């Protein structure tokens, strides 16, 4: 260990006199005295209290409405229909009513939600090929073995996108209608783009290089996932740039949820034209649903969620309440500490030998 | 080569110059090998050894599990990267260690030695020396193997060796060849030597050898005095021939170097236990989750098959649970942390560097910095409870300094200022100018100029005083060049006295068997040496009888004060009282004192006495007793001259260090090879023994019963005093069970001094418990006259029964076994011997650095290590239990909820997880670039960017921090406030001090009072007086004295003899005490490495 340094002279092996080597770096070990600890507890309690109250007030301003449409309203028949897998190809549409009593001000977000759907199973999450989704031609034709049994179809044609995740894509679609004062239902415009992370849309998911050919030609030689009705390059007939692996609904679905009950963004209210410039006005709404996704197999539920957001997210009462609870606990501890200190440890009684 | 049968050697047959004969027995050759691997065996053996460590084996199994895709919940490189890293680091370390071992082996094996082959001496490498070879050794050479001394350049086949490497004793030892072989001094005779030695098989007893030489149809018994052992150095002998009996690994030296055991710290052991428990906990979690998985699969999972069909292999929920078990073992493996071992090692390495870097443990005189030679024991330093210390060279400098004297009722040596106040002697005090004396020793320091003035005034008492010092001794002078004298004394005290006389103008210059030549104040004076009345343990004094040039016969005597005082002439009575007072004063300062006296002898009386002496010295029976009686007879009616005071210089700061370590409740035991009295004296001077101690028990019994009796009574004494009233049932109680309780309650201070003979008995199974009990009840334990092996046994005893951490500190080869046995071995570096250092775990130059090593570095290391471990386990549990919890949400499918790539890269490499590193890696891992290269391995692209822009994330972080900090803070506050530890109290005190402003510190001054004296006589050995007067050790004179049987006191040609010899002064035998080894120093320690 003793590295011989080329230092000449009689004290050649004398260690350097640096603060680090002599362990003289400034250090601080707090001395826990009542004068420092107790005030800091009260202070922490106060801070948490203030934050909690502030968050609570903020949360109160958000609006959220949830509607379980699994077998609600006219969707009952579709629910029954989807029980039978052989009817999977038959379209079924239904509608549910959604009254909104107070207007939703500001940006309004439209989510679909699933309950008891385990996107977080290990084998499920593994069952995808990120190489394929980023547009690698090699992976397009030879999906990763993780995708099995959804890597190739019966005819050994590679599936694009492969894997259980893509195969199980949520394929209900929604149209939100506003039944205003004038009687005739008015379509609520939803922005279907911009619902993904920037990195997902631009980095993580890419279509294979076109090189002059069309998207359909690029995907030639691949098959659609077994549960899909349309091939990946025809997912959005209305917007040709929203097809293939960069389809936003696909991207949203491919970002697996961490918990079995989750909601995913479907669209954002387009506030360009009245009466929706300030958000959603109060009134009756209905949602028309292309009911495709079967949930009865796994005793799941489907729902739609309409919500406004604040600076710290959607309607979430957990955080403010947690802050308030923490605050009161700290206060309690602080009081107990104060009493104990007052009774037993005051004036450093125990510090004397 | 003949085939060698594997059998246990019962007897060794070695024939000189008979290679074929000796080859039959397949004795080990002189090649030594301490290395473990070679290039080809390194990889397999090293890997095999490494995988024997539980942690490595565990991770290998884990790696194999991860290669099974059905189970693999983490990619395989999460395990292989750290595993390979660990293996690599360890392998590199092992390889370097072994490389150095190879190198030192090679160096030793390639040393040259002269071997007699086919009628001529040829240079051979050591490793080619074989049993039965006759080899020639020259002065200052290392002995290559255990050889039988055949003949030497010295008369009578004498030969001198230094055995410092073997037993740590630095004085010379005499070995003698058998008379029959001592004249074999030339090559042809040696060529024809065909004696056969039959002797004991190889063993490790350094002081014993039994064998027989069969030569020319005669049998000659052989013992240890005929043997030169490997590791010795030939001194003062021009050459010698010897026959190799044991070679290489069978030499006594190699047989003696105990196997180096791998030292582990108690934290290591704790860690292993913890890891085992955690492993059990892991299995439990795995089982719970596996059951969970089975239940979930059969209730929910089977319904989910539309979207996620079961694998073909996964036919039932139970089987799925089984697989989940293994998956969870992998996923939760971080509770059994592989990085723990690496991190702990890194941490310790860092601490070792801090020790190496510490300026406060750097000794500038010798330019030696402290060195942590073992990097794995640092935190153990903080828990040391027992220190076993060597004395010579460790506590003391082994330098004797003439400090003071009392001559004719006046003391010299103190310095007074103009106000007649005593001045403390420091480095800066002006020392006396000895320039009047061209032969003076420039290193000699004396501060009291009045003594020199007295010398210059030719005060007769002062002159006689120094004349005595210059005459009455057994020192050998060596005059390398004119005026450049070197004294070779057999004990350092004696050297110091003669040296003092030399500086004060009474230069001892030369010696023959019959004369002593002094240079008294510049004039050569030759005294005729008539007799040396040598020292022994009973007499505690030595005398010489000389005839001065005026023809007067004088007896000069020096010895222990009590002994001398008993034999004084009544006329000296007054002087005796004054001198006695002075002696007490000297002893009180911790000086070793000695009384000096002389006597004028009547010519006729002496004649008669001398005749009696000559007669007695030829008597065979009871010679010792008769001689003793004669000595006694003439050493009567002495006239007191004065007394000397010598300081056995302690190492700097020893007493303070010991006091400080005592305050820390560390027990210090001194284990020394020295005599009882010397050891006790040092005990007093370094404040381990004090006059105000209740009792100092001295155990010096020679039989088991005696020792038992002494130990028993000591114990009863201690216990009886401490529990008054219940003394009766002391014997009945099983004291061993309760001794820890007693230890606490005993306030009185006791000390135990035990000598080597008694220790041998006390260490037997029957007595070791009582020894340990008594020793632990005493504040101070001093073991003297102990052998290196006994040192180790004592350490072993404490280690075995006390469950305490032991530390051994020493400087010489005789401490090696103790250093190796103790939990922590410390070597004193910067001196000649390096064996102790090589065997040690830590080395530094001064005993006092022990304080810093233990109380600063040890404490810090322990603190930091504990904090680190707590944090580490906490971190791993926090990290891992999240997955356990998450299992309940993800259908127990062994999915992880966190970015597993963070796991690999950050957890294992940057365990200290600094926030910066965390975020840097996080962003790097989730960067577009990495994703572009390996899309399937870095799927978390953009996560960090998108998540961290969410304010709620930060709010959660804040909340979590607060929630985590509050309970800990509250608990620590309560602890400090209500149940403060000593540290807290000290800190509190410091703070309040700081607030109140600076105050005078009252450091505990180390007191040094004692009434011990006259240790000089005891550190002396008997036997050299005879060697000198017989002239055996003087080559030139040996011839003449061989021709004249008996001594001729009135020989008239002694002056001529003397002149003749003057040219040969330089070739005189050197008695060396602390010989300065030459550059070709032999490192026994290399073998230990």
């Amino acid at each position: 260990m003793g590295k011989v340094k080329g230092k000449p002279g009689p004290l050649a092996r004398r260690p350097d006199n640096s603060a680090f080597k002599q362990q003289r770096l400034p250090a601080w070990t707090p001395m826990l005295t009542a004068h420092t600890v107790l005030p800091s507890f009260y202070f922490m309690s106060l801070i948490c209290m203030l934050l909690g109250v502030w968050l609570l007030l903020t949360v109160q301003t958000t609006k959220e409405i949830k509607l379980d449409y699994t077998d609600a309203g006219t969707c009952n028949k579709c629910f029954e229909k989807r029980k039978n897998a052989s009817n999977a190809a038959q379209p079924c549409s239904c509608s549910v009513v959604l009254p909104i009593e107070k207007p939703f001000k500001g940006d309004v977000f439209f989510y679909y939600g699933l309950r008891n759907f385990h996107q977080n199973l290990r084998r499920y999450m593994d069952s995808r090929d990120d190489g394929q989704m980023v547009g690698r031609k090699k992976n397009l034709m030879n999906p990763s073995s993780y995708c099995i049994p959804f890597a190739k179809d019966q005819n050994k044609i590679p599936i694009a996108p492969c894997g259980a995740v893509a195969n199980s894509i949520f394929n209900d679609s929604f149209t939100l209608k506003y039944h205003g004062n004038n009687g005739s239902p008015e379509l609520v415009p939803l922005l279907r783009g911009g619902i993904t992370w920037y990195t997902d849309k631009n980095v993580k998911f890419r279509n294979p290089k076109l090189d002059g050919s069309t998207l359909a030609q690029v995907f030639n030689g691949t098959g659609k996932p077994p549960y899909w009705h349309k091939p990946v390059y025809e997912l959005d007939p209305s917007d040709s740039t929203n097809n293939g692996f960069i389809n936003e609904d696909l991207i949203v679905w491919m970002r697996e949820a961490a918990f079995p009950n989750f909601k995913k963004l479907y669209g954002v209210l387009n506030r360009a034209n009245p009466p929706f410039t300030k958000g959603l006005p109060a009134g009756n709404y209905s949602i028309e649903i292309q009911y495709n996704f079967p949930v009865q197999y796994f005793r799941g539920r489907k729902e739609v969620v309409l919500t406004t957001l604040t600076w710290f997210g959607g309607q979430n009462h957990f955080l403010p309440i947690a802050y308030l609870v923490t605050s009161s606990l700290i206060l309690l501890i602080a009081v107990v500490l104060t009493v104990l200190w007052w009774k037993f440890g005051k004036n450093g009684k125990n510090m004397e030998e | 080569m003949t085939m060698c049968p594997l059998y246990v050697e019962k007897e060794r047959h070695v024939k000189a110059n008979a290679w074929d004969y000796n080859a039959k027995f397949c004795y080990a050759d002189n090649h030594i090998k301490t290395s473990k691997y070679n290039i080809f065996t390194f990889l397999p053996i090293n890997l095999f050894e490494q995988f024997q460590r539980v942690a490595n084996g565990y991770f290998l199994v884990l790696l194999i599990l991860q290669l099974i895709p059905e189970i693999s919940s983490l990619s395989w490189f999460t395990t292989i990267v750290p595993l390979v890293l660990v293996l690599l680091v360890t392998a590199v370390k092992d390889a370097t260690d072994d490389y150095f071992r190879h190198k030192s082996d090679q160096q030793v094996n390639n040393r040259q030695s002269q071997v007699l082959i086919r009628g001529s001496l040829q240079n051979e490498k050591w490793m080619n020396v074989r049993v039965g070879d006759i080899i020639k050794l020259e002065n200052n050479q290392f002995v290559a193997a255990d050889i039988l001394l055949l003949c030497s350049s010295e008369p009578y086949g004498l030969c001198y060796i230094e055995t410092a490497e073997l037993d740590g004793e630095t004085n010379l030892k005499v070995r003698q060849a058998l008379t029959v072989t001592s004249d074999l001094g030339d090559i042809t005779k040696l060529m024809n030597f065909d004696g056969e030695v039959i002797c004991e098989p190889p063993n490790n007893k350094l002081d014993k050898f039994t064998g027989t030489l069969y030569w020319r149809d005669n049998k000659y018994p052989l013992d240890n005095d005929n043997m030169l052992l490997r590791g010795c150095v030939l001194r003062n002998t021009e050459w010698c021939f010897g026959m190799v009996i044991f070679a290489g690994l069978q030499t006594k030296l190699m047989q003696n170097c105990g196997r180096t055991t791998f030292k582990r710290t108690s934290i290591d052991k704790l860690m292993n236990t913890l890891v085992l428990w955690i492993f059990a906990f892991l299995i439990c979690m795995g089982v719970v989750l596996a059951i969970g998985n089975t239940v979930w699969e059969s209730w929910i999972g089977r319904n989910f098959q539309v979207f996620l069909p079961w694998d073909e292999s996964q036919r039932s929920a139970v089987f799925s649970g089984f697989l989940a078990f293994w998956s969870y073992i992998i996923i939760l493996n971080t509770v059994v942390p592989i990085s723990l071992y690496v991190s702990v090692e890194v941490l310790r390495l860092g601490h070792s560097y801090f020790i190496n870097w510490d300026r406060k443990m750097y000794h500038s005189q010798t330019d030696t910095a402290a060195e942590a030679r073992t990097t794995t024991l640092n935190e153990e330093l903080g828990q040391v409870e027992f220190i076993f210390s060597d004395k010579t060279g460790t506590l003391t400098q082994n330098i004797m300094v003439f400090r003071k004297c009392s001559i004719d009722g006046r003391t010299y040596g103190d310095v007074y200022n103009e106000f007649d106040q005593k001045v403390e002697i420091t480095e800066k005090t002006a020392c006396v100018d000895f320039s009047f004396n061209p032969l003076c020793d420039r290193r000699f320091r004396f501060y009291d100029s009045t003594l020199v003035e007295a010398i210059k005034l030719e005060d007769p008492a002062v002159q006689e005083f120094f004349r005595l010092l210059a005459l009455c001794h057994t020192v050998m002078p060596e005059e390398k060049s004119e005026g450049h004298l070197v004294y070779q004394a057999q004990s350092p005290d004696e050297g110091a006295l003669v040296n003092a006389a030399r500086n004060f103008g009474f230069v001892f210059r030369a010696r023959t068997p019959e004369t002593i030549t002094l240079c008294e104040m510049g004039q050569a004076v030759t005294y005729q040496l008539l007799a040396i009345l040598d020292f022994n343990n009973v007499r505690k004094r030595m005398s010489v009888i000389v005839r001065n040039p005026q023809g007067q016969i004088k007896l000069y005597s020096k010895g222990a004060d009590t002994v001398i005082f008993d034999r004084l002439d009544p006329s000296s009575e007054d002087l005796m009282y004054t001198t006695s007072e002075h002696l007490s004063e000297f002893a009180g300062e911790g000086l070793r004192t000695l009384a000096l006296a002389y006597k004028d002898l009547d010519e006729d009386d002496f004649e008669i006495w001398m005749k009696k002496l000559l007669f007695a010295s030829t008597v065979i029976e009871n010679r010792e007793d008769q001689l003793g009686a004669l000595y006694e007879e003439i050493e009567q009616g002495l006239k007191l001259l004065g007394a000397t005071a010598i300081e056995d210089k302690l190492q700097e700061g020893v007493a303070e260090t010991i006091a400080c370590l005592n305050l820390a409740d560390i027990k210090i035991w001194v284990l020394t090879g020295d005599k009882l009295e010397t050891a006790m004296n040092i005990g007093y001077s370094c404040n381990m023994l004090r006059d105000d101690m209740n009792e100092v028990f001295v155990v010096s019994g020679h039989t088991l019963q005696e020792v038992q009796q002494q130990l028993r009574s000591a114990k009863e004494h201690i216990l009886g005093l401490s529990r008054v009233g219940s003394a009766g049932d002391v014997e009945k109680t099983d004291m061993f069970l309760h001794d820890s309780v007693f230890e606490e309650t005993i306030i009185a201070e006791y000390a135990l001094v035990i000598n080597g003979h008694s220790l041998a008995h006390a260490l037997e199974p029957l007595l070791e418990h009582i020894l340990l009990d008594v020793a632990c009840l005493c504040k101070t334990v001093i073991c003297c006259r102990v052998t290196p092996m006994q040192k180790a046994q004592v350490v072993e005893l404490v280690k075995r029964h006390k469950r305490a951490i032991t530390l051994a500190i020493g400087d010489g080869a005789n401490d090696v076994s103790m250093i190796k046995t103790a939990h922590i071995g410390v070597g004193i570096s910067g001196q000649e011997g390096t064996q102790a250092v090589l065997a040690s775990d830590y080395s530094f130059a001064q005993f006092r650095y022990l304080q810093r090593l233990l109380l600063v570095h040890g404490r810090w290391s322990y603190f930091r290590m504990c904090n680190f471990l707590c944090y580490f386990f906490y971190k791993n549990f926090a990290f891992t239990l999240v997955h356990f919890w998450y299992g309940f949400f993800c259908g127990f499918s062994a999915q992880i909820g966190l970015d597993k790539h963070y796991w690999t890269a950050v957890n294992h490499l940057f365990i200290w997880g600094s926030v910066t590193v965390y975020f840097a890696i996080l962003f790097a891992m989730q960067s577009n670039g990495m994703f572009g290269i390996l899309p399937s391995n870095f799927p978390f692209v953009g996560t960090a960017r998108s998540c961290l822009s969410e304010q709620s994330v930060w709010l959660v972080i804040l909340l979590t921090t607060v929630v985590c900090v509050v309970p800990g803070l509250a608990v620590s506050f309560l602890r400090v406030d209500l149940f403060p530890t000593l540290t807290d109290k000290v800190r509190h005190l410091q703070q309040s001090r700081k607030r109140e402003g600076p105050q005078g510190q009252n450091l505990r001054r180390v007191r040094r009072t004692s009434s011990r004296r006259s240790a000089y006589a005891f550190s002396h050995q008997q036997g050299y007086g005879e060697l000198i007067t017989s002239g055996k050790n003087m080559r030139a004179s040996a011839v003449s004295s061989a021709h004249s049987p008996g001594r001729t006191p009135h020989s008239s040609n002694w002056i001529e003899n003397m002149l003749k010899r003057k040219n040969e002064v330089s070739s005189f035998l050197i008695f060396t005490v602390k010989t300065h080894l030459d550059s070709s120093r032999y490192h026994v320690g290399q073998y230990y490495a």
Side-chain angles (χ1 to χ4, degrees), chain B residues 720-949:
Chain B
L721 270 188
S722 60
R723 21 148 72 186
V724 185
S726 61
D729 51 28
V730 166
E731 279 168 61
K732 276 185 246 161
T733 7
D734 185 5
M735 290 170 274
F736 190 60
L737 275 179
H738 305 292
D739 64 340
S740 56
V741 185
F742 286 132
E743 275 173 45
E744 303 294 319
T745 56
I746 286 168
I747 318 141
E749 293 190 345
Y750 297 95
L752 176 72
V753 181
I754 184 164
N755 78 12
H757 296 293
S758 313
L759 195 62
H761 293 299
L763 284 173
E764 279 171 29
L766 189 66
L767 291 187
E768 60 178 27
H769 281 312
I770 188 166
L771 169 71
L772 196 64
D773 286 358
V774 174
C776 290
L777 290 170
C778 292
K779 264 245 143 91
T780 302
V781 178
I782 296 176
C783 305
C784 36
R785 278 268 157 237
V786 289
T787 62
M789 213 57 215
Q790 278 179 329
K791 288 188 179 186
Q793 283 171 339
V794 172
V795 176
E796 182 67 40
L797 178 73
V798 173
K799 232 173 109 177
R800 212 171 43 227
H801 293 298
K802 293 306 281 188
R803 290 197 184 172
I805 307 297
T806 56
L807 180 146
I809 178 167
D811 71 320
N814 55 340
D815 306 315
V816 167
S817 59
M818 159 172 99
I819 284 173
K820 280 181 166 181
T821 312
H823 290 102
I824 299 165
V826 178
I828 300 287
S829 56
Q831 297 170 349
E832 290 106 48
T834 52
Q835 310 86 283
V837 172
L838 287 173
S840 66
D841 304 308
Y842 297 90
S843 70
F844 43 70
Q846 293 272 301
F847 181 80
R848 69 189 141 109
Y849 297 151
L850 198 58
Q851 184 180 339
R852 190 165 169 84
L853 184 74
L854 297 187
L855 303 185
V856 176
H857 288 287
R859 191 180 132 87
W860 282 357
S861 297
Y862 190 47
F863 259 48
R864 289 170 186 171
M865 184 61 77
C866 290
N867 279 334
F868 167 79
L869 285 180
C870 283
Y871 172 69
F872 202 93
F873 283 115
Y874 160 74
K875 182 201 78 166
N876 276 307
F877 270 80
F879 184 59
T880 312
L881 289 181
V882 167
H883 296 111
F884 180 74
W885 187 46
Y886 189 62
F888 290 86
F889 293 93
C890 68
F892 306 96
S893 65
Q895 174 59 41
I896 57 169
L898 299 173
D899 179 353
K900 53 185 161 188
H901 299 90
Y902 153 71
W903 193 325
T904 313
V906 181
N907 184 37
H908 292 311
L909 292 176
F910 303 95
I911 29 96
W912 26 77
S914 88
V915 179
T916 341
V917 173
Y918 173 80
F919 281 108
I921 295 292
L922 197 67
F923 282 109
M925 282 296 163
Q926 303 182 355
S927 70
N928 311 347
M930 291 292 261
F931 178 76
I933 301 161
L934 284 169
S936 47
N937 284 328
F938 296 95
F940 285 79
V941 59
T943 316
R945 203 186 306 174
S946 308
C947 283
L948 298 177
S949 59

Side-chain angles (χ1 to χ4, degrees), chain B residues 204-257:
Chain B
N204 64 358
K205 292 179 187 124
L206 287 177
D207 52 352
K208 212 181 123 271
F209 177 82
T210 46
T212 323
L213 172 69
Y214 292 86
W215 189 39
R216 294 182 185 156
D217 303 326
N218 271 325
K219 277 163 73 170
Y220 306 95
L222 301 173
D223 64 17
N224 199 39
D225 272 352
N226 311 114
M227 294 295 289
L228 304 181
L229 301 184
R230 181 174 183 142
C232 299
V233 186
L234 199 65
R235 296 277 184 213
N236 307 304
T237 312
E238 223 166 274
W239 50 260
C240 75
F241 280 99
M243 168 180 158
V244 178
I245 305 290
F246 301 120
L249 296 171
Q250 292 181 333
T251 57
K252 302 218 174 200
L253 174 71
M254 296 307 290
Q255 297 264 321
N256 234 318
C257 49

Side-chain angles (χ1 to χ4, degrees), chain B residues 293-325:
Chain B
N293 183 268
T294 312
V295 173
W296 189 88
E297 285 289 349
S298 45
W299 284 78
I300 301 165
R302 64 164 72 245
N303 301 321
F304 201 65
Q305 287 197 56
V306 187
F307 295 113
L308 187 68
W310 283 355
D311 276 351
E312 274 145 51
S313 57
Q314 186 188 348
R315 280 288 154 249
S316 74
V318 176
F319 188 69
S320 151
F322 173 75
L323 291 182
F325 172 77

Side-chain angles (χ1 to χ4, degrees), chain A residues 1 10 13-15 20 22-23 29 120-123 125 136 168 197 204 227 258 297 311 323 341 350, chain B residues 303 306-307 311 327 354 356-357 359 367 864 886 889-890 893-895 932 939 946 951 955 977 980 987:
Chain A
M1 191 148 314
R13 271 175 292 199
R14 183 162 65 180
F20 173 68
Q22 301 306 317
Q23 304 198 64
T29 320
N120 57 5
L121 291 177
R122 176 168 56 83
R123 289 193 305 112
M125 289 182 88
R136 298 213 167 152
S168 60
W197 289 357
K204 198 171 174 186
Y227 292 1
Y297 303 116
W311 57 268
Y323 266 104
W341 168 72
N350 299 307
Chain B
N303 301 321
V306 187
F307 295 113
D311 276 351
S327 303
F354 278 129
N356 295 348
W357 286 334
R359 274 201 159 196
D367 190 23
R864 289 170 186 171
Y886 189 62
F889 293 93
C890 68
S893 65
Q895 174 59 41
S946 308
Q951 281 80 356
L955 282 171
D977 200 46
R987 289 192 65 194

Side-chain angles (χ1 to χ4, degrees), chain B residues 248-509:
Chain B
L249 296 171
Q250 292 181 333
T251 57
K252 302 218 174 200
L253 174 71
M254 296 307 290
Q255 297 264 321
N256 234 318
C257 49
R259 190 168 289 249
T260 314
T261 44
F262 183 65
K263 291 181 177 176
R264 312 192 68 172
T265 66
S266 43
I267 291 254
D268 270 333
K269 285 170 205 154
L270 178 73
M271 235 157 60
N272 278 346
T273 337
L274 275 180
V275 164
L276 278 181
W277 277 107
I278 289 171
F279 186 73
F281 178 66
L282 170 69
I283 301 283
C284 288
M285 283 199 294
V287 168
V288 168
L289 289 165
I291 293 170
N293 183 268
T294 312
V295 173
W296 189 88
E297 285 289 349
S298 45
W299 284 78
I300 301 165
R302 64 164 72 245
N303 301 321
F304 201 65
Q305 287 197 56
V306 187
F307 295 113
L308 187 68
W310 283 355
D311 276 351
E312 274 145 51
S313 57
Q314 186 188 348
R315 280 288 154 249
S316 74
V318 176
F319 188 69
S320 151
F322 173 75
L323 291 182
F325 172 77
W326 295 108
S327 303
Y328 268 112
I329 293 292
I330 296 172
I331 244 191
L332 301 177
N333 80 71
T334 38
V335 273
V336 184
I338 189 173
S339 50
L340 176 68
Y341 291 90
V342 187
S343 323
V344 164
E345 290 299 315
V346 169
L347 207 65
R348 285 172 175 161
L349 190 71
H351 277 135
S352 307
Y353 271 107
F354 278 129
I355 291 174
N356 295 348
W357 286 334
D358 195 342
R359 274 201 159 196
K360 292 193 174 129
M361 284 163 61
Y362 167 79
H363 193 235
S364 52
Q365 276 98 319
T366 52
D367 190 23
T368 325
E371 190 185 353
R373 301 173 47 83
T374 310
T375 56
T376 53
L377 295 171
N378 297 326
E379 75 272 355
E380 204 89 330
L381 289 171
Q383 306 166 77
V384 169
E385 282 180 51
F386 285 88
I387 293 176
F388 299 91
S389 174
D390 177 38
K391 186 189 77 72
T392 318
T394 307
L395 296 178
T396 66
Q397 299 180 357
N398 205 23
I399 297 173
M400 302 291 166
V401 183
F402 180 79
R403 271 272 169 261
K404 291 182 181 182
C405 57
S406 156
I407 304 172
D408 204 17
R410 211 190 135 188
T411 54
Y412 298 92
D414 285 323
V415 183
Y416 296 89
N417 61 12
E418 55 267 41
F419 312 109
D420 259 9
Q421 282 165 323
K422 219 189 243 185
V423 179
E424 189 108 358
I425 289 173
T426 60
E427 294 274 305
K428 285 173 201 146
T429 316
C431 69
V432 171
D433 180 23
F434 286 108
S435 54
F436 68 90
N437 181 0
L439 287 169
C440 74
D441 180 4
R442 309 231 174 278
R443 286 162 301 168
F444 186 79
R445 294 260 174 286
F446 199 76
Y447 301 94
D448 185 3
S449 54
T450 52
L451 189 54
V452 179
E453 280 157 25
I455 277 279
K456 284 182 179 160
L457 290 173
E458 300 189 357
D459 180 337
V462 175
Q463 285 194 334
E464 199 67 0
F465 180 88
F466 284 112
R467 191 172 291 130
L468 188 153
L469 289 184
L471 288 172
C472 179
H473 54 78
T474 55
V475 171
M476 301 300 289
E478 187 183 2
E479 194 158 1
K480 283 187 175 146
S481 57
E482 183 63 31
H484 184 78
L485 275 168
V486 178
Y487 291 136
Q488 308 294 346
Q490 58 151 318
S491 74
D493 327 43
E494 195 159 58
L497 290 175
V498 179
N499 209 27
R502 165 185 173 183
N503 275 272
F504 286 101
F506 286 78
V507 187
F508 167 62
R509 231 173 153 178

Side-chain angles (χ1 to χ4, degrees), chain A residues 49-85:
Chain A
M49 175 92 72
L50 290 176
L51 266 173
V53 170
W54 182 31
L55 290 178
L56 196 64
L57 291 177
T58 317
V59 166
Q60 295 301 338
T61 64
T62 61
K63 294 273 186 305
E64 186 186 78
I65 188 164
K66 256 187 209 168
L67 181 70
D68 185 334
Y69 71 91
T70 319
D71 47 5
T74 54
C75 291
N76 202 5
K77 63 172 182 6
C78 295
F79 178 67
E80 294 301 326
K81 193 174 194 172
R82 292 290 170 237
K83 271 187 179 166
N84 192 344

